[in-house]
Amino acid sequence: MNMFCYQCQEASKGTGCTLVGVCGKTPEVSSLQDLLIYQLKGISQFSTRLRALNIEMPEVNKFVTDSLFMTITNANFDYDRFVNKIIEGFELRDKAKSLLIENGGEVPVSACDCLTWKTTDAKEMEAKAATVGVLSTENEDIRSLRELVIYGLKGIAAYGEHSFNLGYIDNEVDAFMQRALAATTDDSLTGDELTALVLETGKMGVQVMAMLDKANTTAYGNPEITTVSLGVKNNPGILISGHDLKDMEELLKQTEGTGVDVYTHSEMLPANYYPAFKKYKHFVGNYGGAWWSQVTDFETFNGVVLFTTNCIVPPRKSATYVDRVYTTGASGYPAFKHIDDREGGNPKDFSAMIAHAKTFAAPTEIETGEIVGGFAHAQVFALADKVVDAVKSGAIRKFFVMAGCDGRMKDRSYYTEFAEKLPTDTVILTAGCAKYRYNKLPLGDIGGIPRVLDAGQCNDSYSLVVIALKLAEIFKLNDVNELPIAYNIAWYEQKAVIVLLALLSLGVKNIHLGPTLPAFLSPNVAKVLVDNFGIAPIGSVDEDMKLFLN
Ligand code: SF4
Ligand code: SF3
């Protein structure tokens, strides 16, 4: 075994990647990611004790958030970035320890040498990682619960980082993340206590998604119904992918008047729905499909590509686009150029990338037409009367929340077929890149309400929750599960894990999860989720359709 990782839906053989990641993560990078997580558990023990003395270390909060985000599936493949991050972490941990001692705090006593172990040698880091990774927790149920918490925290970190970039910070979320990381080293915690921590993680997921919603809508306005072009224009282009709207804002400002057009890819599509971005004439639409289609989309795009977050697919040997791809923020890939973080309140500098973009031809058109989106909570509330009337009259029989992630596996054609076979009196509520399985299908509308309502990115699943709670209020229901809403969620990486935990913490029951259940759920932990929340794997389209509609 060279490595062990089972954090995403594509875990090898449905159990875990042991030789090399199906995602392309090397055993070396996997080791460094394991060590970084281990280190966070040590730093968090000190910062949690400091917090009890009313001492907050903002640099620790930022470090923990960045580090968790960097380890999300397909976010960062850059060995050197991880080595440097780990060295930075040792310094931060020792600083936190000194601060604790100076302030009369008690230094934690733990069997975990994450409190003391250090090196600056990359090979020593790799060797150490082999003893502190996921499998170092022997009991499979405790391991399953600990990892469920950590994967939820990774999702929280991603959304927390986007909020931070827009000036929104919630110290309660930081405190929770660090307390929870520290708790994953506490051997005295029982399965029940860890299960409670899992649900608390979900609650914090709701809190961080609400913060990000506020940050995005305050900065850029409420998403509104928007028709997004899928074709191309004649100028050279920059294709921006990922989830970070601050990067989007700065890119649009810096490309204005340069003769370079901006297109969105994958999870950046919802940027088209924000009033503050729609005003830019050179922001011309969306190009291509979900993240995994980048291997062909980037070839035909011809121009420069910017990754603001996950999901990066390591380019094939034959790829011709490698030298025109840039990363920024938590994302990274050794062969791509990286754009540095903001410093001193100044925007990122995209000038070299924009100059590079000007040297390329316009994108090759791969499709034409338009799609409609922008159905986040404020826009749906504006249509509330129409929606409520359609439900009361029976014109809408049922809503299907089909949020989450897309992925490469062939089995995911289930979601396309499911959307196609849904009766015409049903509406899909979506968010995240899962939508690419059906958002270009001609599914029509119900009295002017499109049958696919796209709220936005995966974090905008929060909008779907707000809509559900509002409908429950309008229909005077005490329980959100009494609404005519079914949940058929697709997952891939750890942001979908926090979306799922957030839904559970809000009491949503009977969620169907696919295309497969997470490898990190042990049989006993899976049973707890089935017994208490009615979580179920997807079946065949026809069986599931029958089940959902009865
Ligand atoms: Fe395997 Fe997924 Fe981990 Fe990549 S992130 S190594 S595909 S389990
Ligand atoms: Fe997609 Fe990677 Fe998860 Fe934000 S871009 S949803 S998979």
Side-chain angles (χ1 to χ4, degrees), residues 33 36 62-78 81-82 85 154 157-158 161-162 165 244 247 307-310 312 327-333 338-342 348 495:
Q33 292 189 355
L36 184 55
K62 181 83 173 74
F63 182 84
V64 170
T65 303
D66 287 347
S67 303
L68 284 167
F69 195 179
M70 283 172 73
T71 68
I72 279 188
T73 301
N74 288 342
N76 200 315
F77 296 84
D78 191 335
R81 288 265 305 279
F82 283 104
K85 200 78 185 164
K154 292 187 183 196
E161 175 114 339
H162 300 313
N165 291 341
D244 197 280
D247 288 335
F307 275 106
T308 65
T309 68
N310 57 319
I312 295 171
T327 58
T328 191
S331 69
Y333 188 80
H338 189 75
I339 292 172
D340 291 338
D341 285 343
R342 294 169 192 93
K348 288 184 182 174
K495 296 181 191 180

Side-chain angles (χ1 to χ4, degrees), residues 127-425:
K128 178 69 181 174
T131 65
V132 301
V134 170
L135 296 179
S136 62
T137 302
E138 279 170 23
N139 180 303
E140 70 164 353
D141 297 327
I142 298 295
R143 182 196 308 149
S144 176
L145 290 165
R146 285 178 174 176
E147 295 307 316
L148 189 48
V149 168
I150 289 171
Y151 304 152
L153 294 178
K154 292 187 183 196
I156 291 179
Y159 299 151
E161 175 114 339
H162 300 313
S163 304
F164 175 90
N165 291 341
L166 290 169
Y168 284 74
I169 293 167
D170 182 343
N171 281 338
E172 198 188 344
V173 172
D174 290 313
F176 172 76
M177 284 176 30
Q178 291 156 38
R179 176 165 60 80
L181 278 164
T184 63
T185 66
D186 184 347
D187 291 331
S188 73
L189 292 181
T190 62
D192 285 349
E193 285 166 326
L194 283 169
T195 304
L197 192 63
V198 168
L199 288 182
E200 214 182 334
T201 307
K203 191 168 154 259
M204 281 297 148
V206 179
Q207 196 160 317
V208 79
M209 281 190 261
M211 172 166 70
L212 180 54
D213 180 79
K214 185 148 190 265
N216 285 339
T217 55
T218 305
Y220 308 120
N222 276 303
E224 48 193 40
I225 302 178
T226 305
T227 304
V228 181
S229 163
L230 301 175
V232 302
K233 303 275 188 224
N234 296 327
N235 295 322
I238 293 179
L239 188 58
I240 174 170
S241 182
H243 305 67
D244 197 280
L245 296 188
K246 183 72 182 170
D247 288 335
M248 184 72 194
E249 177 195 343
E250 292 179 352
L251 179 67
L252 285 172
K253 278 188 182 150
Q254 293 177 38
T255 42
E256 194 172 24
T258 62
V260 173
D261 288 336
V262 174
Y263 297 79
T264 53
H265 191 258
S266 191
E267 270 288 70
M268 198 52 94
L269 161 64
N272 287 279
Y273 314 151
Y274 285 88
F277 300 148
K278 286 166 71 168
K279 67 178 191 213
Y280 290 99
K281 293 211 166 33
H282 67 296
F283 181 24
V284 294
N286 191 70
Y287 187 89
W291 62 271
W292 55 272
S293 68
Q294 64 189 257
V295 288
T296 50
D297 295 344
F298 292 1
E299 293 288 355
T300 52
F301 185 73
N302 303 328
V304 157
V305 178
L306 174 65
F307 275 106
T308 65
T309 68
N310 57 319
C311 277
I312 295 171
V313 180
R316 296 169 179 156
K317 279 209 175 73
S318 59
T320 64
Y321 56 77
V322 177
D323 63 353
R324 50 184 168 87
V325 182
Y326 293 72
T327 58
T328 191
S331 69
Y333 188 80
F336 299 159
K337 291 176 261 305
H338 189 75
I339 292 172
D340 291 338
D341 285 343
R342 294 169 192 93
E343 275 204 39
N346 294 315
K348 288 184 182 174
D349 181 3
F350 293 123
S351 58
M353 186 182 82
I354 296 167
H356 193 188
K358 287 182 185 171
T359 66
F360 294 102
T364 305
E365 195 153 76
I366 50 173
E367 58 188 335
T368 55
E370 294 168 333
I371 46 176
V372 179
F375 296 92
H377 53 84
Q379 182 63 80
V380 175
F381 288 179
L383 296 171
D385 290 349
K386 215 171 169 179
V387 173
V388 169
D389 285 350
V391 174
K392 282 187 179 158
S393 71
I396 294 178
R397 175 171 26 156
K398 201 157 194 165
F399 295 94
F400 285 82
V401 171
M402 290 175 70
C405 308
D406 196 10
R408 305 169 260 231
M409 280 173 75
K410 285 211 167 55
D411 303 14
R412 288 187 186 254
S413 59
Y414 165 95
Y415 294 102
T416 310
E417 199 188 329
F418 190 87
E420 281 170 330
K421 286 192 169 168
L422 273 174
T424 52
D425 56 359

Side-chain angles (χ1 to χ4, degrees), residues 425-470:
D425 56 359
T426 58
V427 169
I428 295 172
L429 302 173
T430 192
C433 64
K435 66 169 85 60
Y436 282 96
R437 288 283 162 179
Y438 42 79
N439 67 343
K440 295 172 187 173
L441 298 176
L443 295 180
D445 64 87
I446 299 174
I449 303 167
R451 290 199 46 237
V452 179
L453 299 182
D454 177 23
Q457 299 177 331
C458 45
N459 43 289
D460 295 309
S461 300
Y462 169 75
S463 246
L464 303 181
V465 167
V466 173
I467 292 166
L469 294 173
K470 187 74 184 171

